[in-house]
Each structure stands twice: as structure tokens, then as C-alpha cells.
Amino acid sequence: MATTVRRSTLTLPAAPLGPENPLPALLPLDEAHTLEESERAALPVEMARQVGYGPLRSVLPTRILDGYGRRRAPTSLDTLVIENDRLRATVLPGLGGRVSSLFHKPSNRELLYTNPVLQPADFALNGAWFSGGIEWNIGATGHTTLSCAPLHAARVPAPGGDGAMVRLWEWERLRDVPFQVDLWLPEESDFLYVGARIRNPHDRTVPVYWWSNIAVPEDERTRVLAPAEETWYFAYERKLRRIPVPEWNGADLTYPLRGDFPADYFYEVPDGARKWIASLDEGGRGLVQTSTDVLRGRKLFVWGAGPGGRRWQQWLTEPGTPGYVEVQAGLARTQLEHVPLEGGGEFAWLEAYGPLAADPGAVHGDDWAAARAHTEKRLEAALPRADVEAAYAAWRPCADSDPDPQEPPLAVGSGWGALEGVRGGFTLPGTPFGQETLDADQRPWAELLHTGSLPCGPGSEPPGPTLVSPEWRELLESADTAGGAPRHELDYHLGVAQWHAGDRSQAVRSWERSVGSAARWPALRCLAVADRQSGNDARAAERYLAAVRDARERLGAGNGASGTRESESGDGAGPEPGTSAAAALTALAREAVESLLRAGRADDAEAVLDGLHPADRLRGRFQLLRAQVLLAQGDIKAARAVFERDFEVEDLREGEEALSETWAALTDEPLPARYDFRMRPAQP
């Protein structure tokens, strides 16, 4: 059959994402891939430089996604299916362009780990992420903020006139760069080709990050092979060390279940060596990924055989479902690094994904050099390195080809690229960002761009998202308020942009001006975050409490809450669940309770919890906070009773130890398995 591209649907049990968190993400979520300054001294010069280059101050201007739960219902997802007579690739354009399935017809094998459910979990830089398939991680160290976001998609001609390919593209907002991913299947090919490109349209250098993450089935006899004799081992103790491959501390770690805890293994692939990684089962069969040399890094991520890793595997899917590991490919040697991309420059490369069949005796033999040499020989027979280079050369001229404007798009992403294209006057062949994609989030900023005045929303709703790049900050600083635009919201947005730029004192001054007029809670909350960062827990707690009072009054809590225990027993009235106002109140309450506990004000923290909507009080995060409040009040029995009710913290963060730490403060008994998400050995 000739290669085809078609729309389809996939129905899965899925938990809804819920609304965005309207509170600006002034601080990054706890990202595991960081190193202390002292750890960098022993690294190679280039790696040390790139580890320290371009760290995130926050995930602004994106918003946090933490409104999901764990109740799943059958949900129809839009898909794009690319198919020839050998392979069928299924893409989810509405969920980061994830390749959810790669099915090899001749062997009747699924080459990827395909998650039977869509269950968001707190792994992305901005929260919601889900496991399975092939994901395209761009932006900064961690899973992309686009993990659960729609991308633009269109059908474009494939290289050599060999049918059609699917183009995915979007504007990556952390680094303000556009990217594209082109996927096609040459006729009679056993390999899915992926052409990827990141462009920097600015006149300044930007930090860039890319890792293609491939989930493959986990099995005791599955071995991961790569062309390396050493790897950089990194686990949740946050130490990077160079160790030999395959055996270390008496275990062959190329078999993912031979370690106890989750860990990363970044392979030291020699310069000039072919770039590839393969996951092969007991019979020597599985998936191989290879690329042109720009994508230099290769990595294995394992959950390990310990109870914490097993619990996470269950948490991300259905009980009884087989687990997975990740084989990955990136621009740098490790995921702790960002790579500089000069103004006007681009990174472009080609990847190929397909089946590999090798001799199981050679793959699983004790001679590591022979095992990887045999695997590479089988790869060369299946897909010669020269063919990958030729496919890349054939694709490059096609990368600039625009989709046919007369043909409807296959999917539509956000309007942020259209807004940035107008602001910067960028010409981006191949990735059109049409003005028709602008929506309510972008329109106020388009008006600021065209009129010099930023329109503000009603006080009964949280402020919209803030743009924070240097160019937008300058526009905010010179914005005109003579036309009657309220100054308080302009100062609020200006403060967020100044904070992101590292000008903390100016940000505080802007928020203090905002607090002096109209709706006070957005700026009060920002000031509370600033207090927390400066170590003033007492003032942070007071400001959070004031912000909760003001927000409940202005956003429609309906119970006249004043922040005292008596008045916040609450009737549960308030904005409709699922709305932006309800999301703001919930997020603000969580931050306030955590701040009040740090300040030793457990009774006030209890009052804030009591003022929540009844549905929010039942959420696992607030059940955990309730137990912590009771613990702080000295009521060990009541705190223990919360754990005995068997709650689930829906937004438990990767590496978070709040469950185990709270349990340890309550009792010396072993942590129940349902609460064991520990990703590192117990600390002395």
C-alpha cells in the first residue's frame, strides 16, 4: 500500500486535565535534574558549562496544570494515523504530538509501550504529563510544558514526492522559539522517519533543550544497548557520576530491573560513532532508534525493582498493566544541560524508529563489546547509516515548505506563535502561525502591542496570563493608562515580568502599588511568594491569609470568610468547580496552608482548609495537608486516621517525599505500600 495520512480517534479511559492554575508560576516546580555548584567541578569542561547555562527561574509565561484528578471515563481523542504496508504510527496532536503507537505489521508487534489509560501526573515542568509512546521534550530540563497541549498539525509533501508527511509545530514559550516535527513513512519502509528543527528567530542567543523520550515495554529479560562503555549515572540523590557499562556494583544495569531505585543512565557515546539505542527482549527483538549526529545524547531511564518505582508504575496506569522504561535521545550528553543556539540559527536533525531483530545469544551474552557490535551490525543491515544521512539531506529542503493554505489543518495549536510573529516580524517558512489562532488569552497583549494600552479583566475573575520576555516587559513598562485602563492590574503584570527577569526589588514595588488599589489578592499572593523567598515566613503567612480573605470575597466564595477559624467553617458556597475562579481559590488555599504551617500557625491553616469547597476538601492534596495540620496541632491520632482513610494525592510531584515524611512523623511503623513513592534510598 502507498503511505497514507488520515484522521481517526482513539478512545481511552482518561482523567480530565481540569482548568489551568491561574496563579503565576513565580518559582519552578521542584525539578529533579539539577546539580549543586560543588558537583560541577569534576565534570568535563563543556558539560560543566552547559549544566550551569540557562537554568529556569520559573516556568513563566506558561501556567501550571494541576487541576486533574484520578477519576477516568471513556474519552475520545483525536489522532493522526500515518501508515504504509509495514508500519502504522498513531499521533496525538492534542497532547504534545505524542506518538502513542508504532505498530509493525509483518511481526504483528507493538514497538512502544502503549498506556491503556490517559492519567495525568505531576512530572512535566508545568505539572500534567502522562506516560507512554514517543514524546518530544523541548524547553528546559524536564518533561516539556507542552506535554498535554495541542500542537498545530498539517499534511505536507514528503521528501522525494514519496506521499505525504505530518508536520507538527508550535511556539515553545519558555525559550521563545518555534519548533517543528515532521513524521513520514517512505513506501515499504520498516522505519518511521522524523525530521526535527528548532529555530531561534531572535538576535540574541537562547538556551535550547531537546530529548526524544521513547517508552518501551519493561521485562526482566529485556536489555537496552547503546554504543558506549561508560555512562553518567544520575539518580534522585542528585549526584552525577561516571560509571562503567554494563556492570556496576555487581549488577548489569543494562537490564532495567536489576537496580532498586529509579535512575538515569546517560551514555558516553564516542565522537564519530553512530548514534543509536535499542531495547531488545529475550528473543533479541524490539525497537531501535537512530539519528544523525546532531542528536548526540542517549539515555536509559529505569524505575527500578524497588517498591517506590513499582508504585509509580501502577500510579501512571492501571493495576496489573506491564511496566515500561524510557530510551531517549537528546542534543546534549545529559538532561542537566542546555545548549546555546545563536540568534538566527537553528538545530535540525533526523531520527528513525523501527523494529530490530538480532541474535539473542549475542545480545544477551557476557561480552558487552560483542553484544553492542552485533546489535549495530544488525541495525546497519536494517537501516544503513548512509541512508539516514541521505534521508536527512532529502528532508531539509522540504522543511521550509508551507502547508497548502487551501487545505484545512489537521489540528490547531495555540495563538502564542501568531502573537510573537506579529511582535517580532518573524518570517518562519514551513511553520505558519495564523492570526485566526489568536484567542482570549492573546488578545489583550495584541492590544498592548498595537495601542500601547493593556486592557484588564473583571475583578470577579483572576487576571489572565502574563508575558515576561524582555520585549513584552518593555511594553509593560511604557504602557499607557491615560485611556482609563486600571493601573493595579498593569502593575501586577509588570511585577510578574520583573520578577521573571530577576529584578526582585522592582517586582515587589510594582506589586505593592497594585495592592493599594482595587482587587488586592493577586498582588498579595505574589508578595507572599517574595517574602517566602527572602526567608520572611511570618510576613508571607500574613499576606497569604489576607490574599485568601480578599480572593474569597471578590471571586465569590459567598461565606464572608475573614480568615478566622470561626468565620471560615464555611458553607462551601463559591464559584463553580472547574472555572478559573475556583482554580485560583483552590491553588491559593494550598499555598496559604503550606505557608501558615511553615510559620507555625496551624490553627489558621486549619481555618483555610475549612473554608474550601467541600469537593476540594476531599482532594488528596488537601487530605495530606489536613494530616499535616493535625500533626502540627499535636493530634497524632486524628492525623493517623486521615492516612487510614486511604487517600490519593492526585498531583504528587515526581520525587516528592511529603507522604513518607509525614508518615514517619506520625509513627515508626513501615510506610504502607499505597503511600510508598520513594525514588531514592532513605536518608540517614
Side-chain angles (χ1 to χ4, degrees):
M1 65 180 289
T3 299
T4 61
V5 173
R6 58 185 168 86
R7 286 192 182 95
S8 187
T9 58
L10 173 66
T11 300
L12 290 177
L17 282 174
E20 292 181 333
N21 182 335
L23 306 186
L26 300 178
L27 305 174
L29 297 181
D30 182 31
E31 169 49 42
H33 290 96
T34 58
L35 275 185
E36 297 294 335
E37 187 80 33
S38 60
E39 291 286 318
R40 300 179 199 164
L43 301 180
V45 173
E46 182 192 45
M47 185 187 294
R49 182 171 60 249
Q50 292 182 169
V51 166
Y53 174 58
L56 285 185
R57 295 190 181 97
S58 72
V59 295
L60 289 168
T62 62
R63 286 181 152 183
I64 301 298
L65 290 172
D66 58 5
Y68 50 85
R70 292 188 59 80
R71 288 189 177 181
R72 299 189 285 265
T75 303
S76 180
L77 305 174
D78 291 332
T79 65
L80 303 174
V81 179
I82 313 165
E83 187 169 11
N84 67 6
D85 57 347
R86 313 285 293 177
L87 280 175
R88 181 171 60 248
T90 303
V91 181
L92 302 174
L95 293 165
R98 184 82 58 101
V99 179
S100 65
S101 170
L102 188 60
F103 185 78
H104 186 235
K105 298 178 184 180
S107 62
N108 196 34
R109 288 170 64 94
E110 173 60 57
L111 300 179
L112 305 175
Y113 166 79
T114 59
N115 197 331
V117 304
L118 177 59
Q119 177 56 62
D122 194 2
F123 277 67
L125 288 166
N126 64 334
W129 170 87
F130 63 102
S131 65
I134 306 171
E135 57 179 305
W136 319 110
N137 285 304
I138 179 173
T141 52
H143 292 282
T144 177
T145 61
L146 296 165
S147 293
C148 294
L151 303 189
H152 299 282
R155 183 186 286 106
V156 294
D162 194 8
M165 64 182 175
V166 169
R167 173 161 300 157
L168 305 166
W169 74 98
E170 215 357 315
W171 192 274
E172 200 291 306
R173 301 179 66 209
L174 295 183
R175 304 306 191 184
D176 259 341
V177 294
F179 73 98
Q180 70 187 78
V181 175
D182 292 350
L183 305 102
W184 75 101
L185 286 170
E187 192 170 343
E188 299 183 354
S189 173
D190 280 307
F191 284 82
L192 172 69
Y193 284 178
V194 179
R197 177 166 66 162
I198 305 169
R199 285 182 280 187
N200 178 9
H202 307 287
D203 58 6
R204 63 180 186 273
T205 299
V206 298
V208 166
Y209 173 94
W210 182 281
W211 281 81
S212 302
N213 287 14
I214 310 124
V216 291
E218 175 194 70
D219 184 85
E220 289 184 357
R221 288 289 295 157
T222 292
R223 192 178 207 186
V224 173
L225 301 101
E229 295 180 351
E230 293 182 305
T231 182
W232 292 91
Y233 168 77
F234 185 79
Y236 288 79
E237 301 94 329
R238 301 190 180 184
K239 294 183 183 296
L240 189 65
R241 66 188 79 175
R242 198 168 185 161
I243 65 171
V245 179
E247 189 170 308
W248 184 56
N249 283 349
D252 185 337
L253 297 175
T254 60
Y255 292 91
L257 285 171
R258 296 190 184 177
D260 290 331
F261 288 91
D264 297 329
Y265 300 93
F266 300 103
Y267 293 106
E268 186 69 30
V269 180
D271 291 341
R274 185 173 185 178
K275 308 301 187 286
W276 60 271
I277 190 166
S279 174
L280 304 180
D281 66 13
E282 184 176 9
R285 303 168 71 188
L287 176 134
V288 65
Q289 186 271 2
T290 187
S291 72
T292 50
D293 287 355
V294 168
L295 211 62
R296 65 179 294 188
R298 291 300 184 274
K299 172 195 164 184
L300 165 65
F301 167 76
V302 301
W303 284 105
R310 296 299 91 199
R311 182 69 179 106
W312 272 115
Q313 291 267 35
Q314 297 167 9
W315 180 257
L316 295 172
T317 184
E318 293 279 17
T321 302
Y324 74 96
V325 299
E326 290 176 357
V327 293
Q328 307 181 15
L331 283 175
R333 280 186 285 191
T334 74
Q335 287 177 334
L336 288 72
E337 301 170 69
H338 299 118
V339 182
L341 178 57
E342 294 182 354
E346 68 176 41
F347 290 132
W349 63 91
L350 184 130
E351 303 179 53
Y353 297 81
L356 193 68
D359 174 39
V363 167
H364 297 285
D366 293 335
D367 187 334
W368 170 246
R372 68 177 193 268
H374 171 77
T375 304
E376 185 162 335
K377 183 178 179 181
R378 296 300 303 143
L379 169 60
E380 185 67 16
L383 182 63
R385 186 177 188 181
D387 287 4
V388 174
E389 297 292 343
Y392 172 73
W395 167 72
R396 284 298 284 115
C398 302
D400 283 342
S401 300
D402 282 326
D404 185 347
Q406 303 304 314
E407 185 176 337
L410 296 174
V412 178
S414 78
W416 296 113
L419 181 66
E420 292 297 336
V422 171
R423 186 205 56 73
F426 302 131
T427 300
L428 298 166
T431 54
F433 293 98
Q435 293 300 294
E436 71 279 1
T437 62
L438 294 173
D439 65 17
D441 281 343
Q442 292 94 45
R443 290 189 191 110
W445 298 93
E447 186 165 337
L448 173 64
L449 184 63
H450 294 307
T451 70
S453 179
L454 181 70
C456 298
S460 58
E461 291 291 328
T466 304
L467 296 183
V468 296
S469 71
E471 295 83 2
W472 287 108
R473 188 174 72 251
E474 289 177 9
L475 288 169
L476 285 170
E477 288 169 346
S478 60
D480 178 21
T481 58
R487 182 75 215 184
H488 74 91
E489 191 162 336
L490 178 60
D491 282 328
Y492 159 78
H493 286 297
L494 177 57
V496 174
Q498 290 166 332
W499 178 272
H500 181 263
D503 195 346
R504 302 293 172 88
S505 59
Q506 285 293 348
V508 167
R509 280 192 279 273
S510 294
W511 292 327
E512 286 174 342
R513 286 197 304 272
S514 180
V515 165
S517 60
R520 304 173 65 242
W521 72 265
L524 278 170
R525 179 263 176 180
C526 291
L527 287 168
V529 173
D531 288 333
R532 173 187 165 187
Q533 285 300 99
S534 66
N536 195 334
D537 287 341
R539 190 166 64 184
E542 195 58 46
R543 278 176 162 160
Y544 266 121
L545 205 52
V548 168
R549 293 169 181 153
D550 188 62
R552 285 180 172 167
E553 179 179 340
R554 295 181 185 276
L555 299 181
N559 61 4
S562 67
T564 66
R565 191 173 185 178
E566 292 75 21
S567 63
E568 289 189 356
S569 58
D571 58 9
E576 191 69 24
T579 62
S580 180
L585 287 171
T586 302
L588 184 59
R590 173 184 170 174
E591 290 185 13
V593 170
E594 291 171 344
S595 179
L596 289 161
L597 284 174
R598 278 193 300 272
R601 298 175 61 171
D603 289 349
D604 286 324
E606 180 185 30
V608 173
L609 289 175
D610 288 344
L612 284 166
H613 188 283
D616 286 328
R617 292 179 214 163
L618 296 176
R619 286 180 63 87
R621 175 61 62 179
F622 290 107
Q623 290 288 309
L624 175 58
L625 287 172
R626 178 74 68 178
Q628 292 172 343
V629 166
L630 291 166
L631 177 62
Q633 292 173 327
D635 195 342
I636 304 296
K637 182 178 180 181
R640 175 71 180 264
V642 174
F643 275 84
E644 291 170 353
R645 290 197 288 269
D646 195 14
F647 62 92
E648 293 183 312
V649 181
E650 300 91 341
D651 62 340
L652 191 70
R653 183 69 175 163
E654 174 189 13
E656 183 180 349
E657 298 179 347
L659 280 168
S660 55
E661 288 173 350
T662 305
W663 177 263
L666 292 173
T667 177
D668 293 331
E669 295 176 23
L671 180 67
R674 64 186 182 275
Y675 297 127
D676 191 351
F677 292 88
R678 290 172 292 188
M679 301 180 81
R680 61 175 180 167
Q683 300 302 295

